[in-house]
Amino acid sequence: MQTFATEAVDWPESATALREQVRALVAEHGERDPVRRANCWTKADPAFSRRLGEAGLLGMTWPREYGGHERSQIERYVVIEELLAAGAPVGAHWIADRQSGPLLLRMGNEELKRRWVPAIARGEAFACIGLSEPNSGSDLASVRTSARRDGDDWVINGQKVWTTGAHVAHFMIALIRSEPGSERQQGLSQFVIPMDAPGVTVKPIIDLTGAHEFNEVFFEDVRLPATALLGEEGNGWKQATAELSLERSGPERYLSSMALFTELVRHAGKHPDQTVRELVGRLAAEAWTLRLMSASVAAKLARGEDPALEATIVKDLGNSYEQAIPELVQAVVEMDLNGEDALARVTAYLLQVSPSFSLRGGTREILKGIIARGLGLR
Amino acid sequence: MSDTRRMLAEMADPLFAELSSSATMERDWARIEELGLPLLLAPETEGGFGGTWEDALVVFRLAGYHALALPLPEAIIAGRAQEGSQEHFLLCAFARGAQIAGALDAALAIAVGYVNERQQFGRPLGKFQAVQQSLATFACEAAAANCAAMGAAQALDRGDATFEVAAAKLRANRAVGVGSTVAHQVHGAIGFTEEYGLHELTKRLWQWRSEFGNDAHWSRVLGELVVARGSEAFWPDLTARTDPTRVD
């Protein structure tokens, strides 16, 4: 049994130059507060996203025809790991650049592609994903939001919940039941819904840190043209689940806490406490391994393979690592969590948000089920 | 996998499987020598394979997978560094990390095979969600140990690899705890018997975790390396280790 077939990642010659470009950009426009640098892919800063667009760092792998830059997947990987390691506020464009753009290019009709893809690459159009619904949670196949035909149009009614970034997004790609009376994975389709369409209402869900990241989104007789259907009618389940590989494999699954690690190393340098240094070593080993694994998945995606199982393993290990860090730091470093010290502030912040790490992008239990299937147990 | 490595695997795998944990020097070492495996890293001009550390990884990993009871990794390393030197210790730590990775994959395979066969409460154990989730956790740990070993091998082929070998051995050591615990748990009492072969793997996993640096040793080495470079250097150092050298 070989659990994870790793192959060497061919880091591009352009990597060094790309890293310098991103580092300079972040130094100029990025975030300096260590707390804001943690979990940065949920921090929206539309101005920073536009700046990245101008610099040609969004839609990097997409065709020039649609505003892309025809760079390689690994070059894109270099850019996103640099942004995350620096804690740049990339939340506004994150979903659009990671998932929605590639999905539109693969499945979208010409009108959808022209309308949204170049704007995403410019850092001007942001996306959200409509999957979960009240009472559906991880059981996505139980969605009830409906799309009904009315002449050439579609009329949408229902509700999505836990929708990340719906309040900054310009459009949603939603999984919706398009065949009345259909069950489970059958009869589902994906639709592209402009957030300013009449009948769309967004209500914030404030999290336990007081931050606004999630939303409830209501659809009341939202009328969409036939061209709003993404891909094939009835093929929504397959399209939506294929997209999850892109969501699960990325370095955001282990780099959310780099800001805390950096502060820990700074602290360890000032206080030659052996336990703290050993913790630095242990976390460094973990981060190094996760980077290898994450990049290896990116390399497989670049070769056109579908590393769904490997991506799931990386997300599960990444989540565990990120949830362990604040707890381990709290256990070995004496600190006042309400104090002004940077290390204490980042630790306090991550202790609060880390429960969400093993929820977003698929719960730990769902991921382990996928891995068990990969082992031939289901 | 390159052709050399595939050839090496095809050569070593059946022999290691046959010799496995009951091999002895007196009886079996000659067969290892016949294949020329101890000279894996020696230059071709000296009758060796001229192999790389990535080639060695294939052999070390398979030696672990089959719990091979012969000092083959030590023999392969013998020509590369003086025994007792720091370099020798580092190379042996790499070998142990790779052996652990192989042994974890083997223990996982045995555990998965067992739960698919063994019926309890009217269905195979593997159909129970709790069992599935434990084995999934094990698979993640085995994957991490395997990737780390590969990363260390690549680093050795590039040059200075103290950081990577330290990280790989530490990561492998940490995986041993979860892996061997789950392997035994899903086997129930059967795994605890002498007649069932799982212990050949788990005994070695526990042994290898101590050899050439335990968790405390390598986390101290790594921690000192990272702290000495300062908080802002960690990420740039990490990327510089893998990026191709810039041609100005």
Side-chain angles (χ1 to χ4, degrees):
Chain A
M1 177 166 286
Q2 175 102 41
T3 43
F4 194 110
T6 357
E7 277 167 56
V9 176
D10 227 341
W11 296 95
E13 287 292 336
S14 57
T16 313
L18 273 171
R19 291 187 200 285
E20 279 169 9
Q21 187 188 0
V22 176
R23 285 170 194 174
L25 225 150
V26 173
E28 191 188 329
H29 289 271
E31 188 56 59
R32 279 176 192 83
D33 176 29
V35 174
R36 299 248 331 149
R37 284 168 63 167
N39 203 23
C40 69
W41 53 287
T42 65
K43 309 283 197 307
D45 181 344
F48 183 73
S49 294
R50 268 197 304 280
R51 186 73 194 83
L52 287 179
E54 283 163 20
L57 299 175
L58 298 181
M60 283 182 68
T61 62
W62 307 346
R64 282 186 201 287
E65 195 192 342
Y66 297 100
H69 305 283
E70 301 186 2
R71 308 287 293 253
S72 72
Q73 289 284 353
I74 300 297
E75 286 178 303
R76 174 176 183 271
Y77 188 89
V78 166
V79 169
I80 62 172
E81 71 171 5
E82 281 303 320
L83 288 167
L84 293 165
V90 293
H93 68 264
W94 197 250
I95 290 169
D97 180 66
R98 179 181 69 187
Q99 276 163 270
S100 315
L103 181 63
L104 284 164
L105 281 167
R106 210 170 54 246
M107 308 299 302
N109 54 53
E110 204 51 34
E111 190 180 319
L112 284 177
K113 285 198 274 194
R114 296 263 167 231
R115 173 158 183 200
W116 295 113
V117 178
I120 298 173
R122 288 195 304 270
E124 290 169 3
F126 310 137
C128 62
I129 300 176
L131 292 176
S132 278
E133 294 187 5
N135 300 317
S136 77
S138 291
D139 183 13
L140 287 184
S142 68
V143 304
R144 286 175 304 172
T145 296
S146 69
R148 172 176 58 80
R149 279 263 192 201
D150 183 20
D152 281 347
D153 292 351
W154 290 95
V155 179
I156 314 286
N157 278 286
Q159 182 190 349
K160 293 288 175 185
V161 73
W162 310 123
T163 313
T164 301
H167 57 301
V168 290
H170 300 90
F171 67 97
M172 172 193 279
I173 297 185
L175 184 66
I176 292 177
R177 199 160 291 285
S178 56
E179 186 190 325
S182 62
E183 297 271 344
R184 308 294 301 160
Q185 288 97 332
Q186 309 301 317
L188 297 169
S189 300
Q190 284 186 304
F191 288 90
V192 179
I193 308 174
M195 296 304 282
D196 59 3
V200 177
T201 315
V202 178
K203 283 191 186 163
I205 299 174
I206 305 301
D207 71 26
L208 52 73
T209 69
H212 177 195
E213 190 190 324
F214 304 126
N215 301 275
E216 292 181 281
V217 183
F218 300 86
F219 307 106
E220 203 178 331
D221 290 328
V222 178
R223 186 167 284 274
L224 301 174
T227 49
L229 175 75
L230 176 61
E232 225 177 285
E233 188 178 336
N235 196 36
W237 177 260
K238 236 176 139 180
Q239 291 171 204
T241 48
E243 204 185 329
L244 286 170
S245 266
L246 297 175
E247 179 166 350
R248 287 181 179 148
S249 55
E252 65 269 36
R253 300 302 175 183
Y254 82 98
L255 281 175
S256 291
S257 306
M258 187 49 75
L260 174 56
F261 183 72
T262 306
E263 291 307 319
L264 179 68
V265 177
R266 203 189 313 280
H267 175 88
K270 289 183 204 148
H271 308 274
D273 176 320
Q274 203 49 253
T275 326
V276 178
R277 290 179 177 224
E278 282 179 23
L279 178 59
V280 167
R282 176 182 161 182
L283 296 177
E286 210 76 30
W288 170 77
T289 308
L290 283 163
R291 176 169 185 254
L292 268 176
M293 299 179 87
S294 179
S296 162
V297 173
K300 280 181 196 172
L301 280 168
R303 285 197 298 270
E305 297 167 32
D306 177 18
L309 179 62
E310 287 94 334
T312 309
I313 289 177
V314 173
K315 173 164 158 31
D316 193 42
L317 283 171
N319 291 165
S320 303
Y321 164 73
E322 297 216 296
Q323 284 180 331
I325 296 182
E327 208 181 322
L328 291 167
V329 172
Q330 186 181 32
V332 301
V333 181
E334 290 287 355
M335 60 171 83
D336 170 11
L337 287 182
N338 295 310
E340 280 308 300
D341 175 65
L343 178 62
R345 285 169 58 227
V346 191
T347 304
Y349 169 69
L350 285 172
L351 279 170
Q352 290 182 73
V353 295
S354 61
S356 74
F357 294 174
S358 52
L359 303 174
R360 59 191 188 191
T363 63
R364 173 180 293 131
E365 291 71 19
I366 293 284
L367 300 183
K368 291 217 192 304
I370 294 170
I371 298 166
R373 182 174 291 122
L375 292 173
L377 294 173
R378 297 177 63 191
Chain B
M1 200 188 271
S2 76
D3 286 346
T4 322
R5 294 201 265 284
R6 194 166 297 118
M7 183 204 77
L8 263 174
E10 280 165 11
M11 203 163 81
D13 192 45
L15 179 62
F16 292 0
E18 184 195 331
L19 302 179
S20 69
S21 58
S22 55
T24 62
M25 283 301 282
E26 299 71 35
R27 195 182 61 217
D28 304 309
W29 187 250
R31 295 183 64 191
I32 298 278
E33 281 191 319
E34 258 170 49
L35 293 185
L37 286 174
L39 295 176
L40 179 62
L41 296 177
E44 286 173 45
T45 49
E46 293 168 26
F49 278 96
T52 64
W53 288 106
E54 277 195 82
D55 299 332
L57 171 65
V58 173
V59 175
F60 294 168
R61 199 186 155 277
L62 283 171
Y65 195 95
H66 297 292
L68 182 70
L70 293 172
L72 177 58
E74 288 82 343
I76 289 173
I77 289 167
R80 315 300 296 176
Q82 184 72 40
E83 206 173 328
S85 69
Q86 256 188 350
E87 193 193 356
H88 184 264
F89 189 82
L90 190 78
L91 294 173
C92 289
F94 163 64
R96 289 296 183 266
Q99 286 169 284
I100 287 173
L104 285 172
D105 271 354
L108 178 64
I110 291 176
V112 167
Y114 180 77
V115 301
N116 274 335
E117 239 169 57
R118 170 73 170 169
Q119 306 262 339
Q120 288 273 269
F121 308 104
R123 51 184 173 145
L125 278 181
K127 295 296 165 203
F128 290 89
Q129 204 172 36
V131 174
Q132 292 176 356
Q133 302 247 322
S134 294
L135 285 169
T137 304
F138 184 175
C140 287
E141 292 296 305
N146 274 281
C147 288
M150 194 216 53
Q154 289 170 343
L156 282 166
D157 284 329
R158 281 194 299 267
D160 170 47
T162 308
F163 179 94
E164 288 86 349
V165 172
K169 180 61 165 55
L170 184 51
R171 191 61 191 83
N173 280 357
R174 300 194 57 80
V176 167
V178 175
S180 39
T181 304
V182 173
H184 279 280
Q185 186 66 23
V186 302
H187 273 92
I190 291 288
F192 195 64
T193 60
E194 193 189 23
E195 63 169 298
Y196 193 84
L198 179 64
H199 65 89
E200 304 289 2
L201 289 163
T202 50
K203 274 181 187 157
R204 279 179 178 74
L205 282 168
W206 292 322
Q207 183 83 27
W208 291 334
R209 184 164 54 174
S210 283
E211 288 176 3
F212 302 106
N214 65 4
D215 296 32
H217 175 86
W218 287 118
S219 54
R220 208 169 301 145
V221 168
L222 259 185
E224 291 303 333
L225 280 175
V226 173
V227 170
R229 295 281 299 146
S231 58
E232 301 308 319
F234 178 72
W235 181 258
D237 283 357
L238 203 61
T239 56
R241 282 195 181 88
T242 45
D243 280 345
T245 319
R246 188 156 40 136
V247 190
D248 279 6

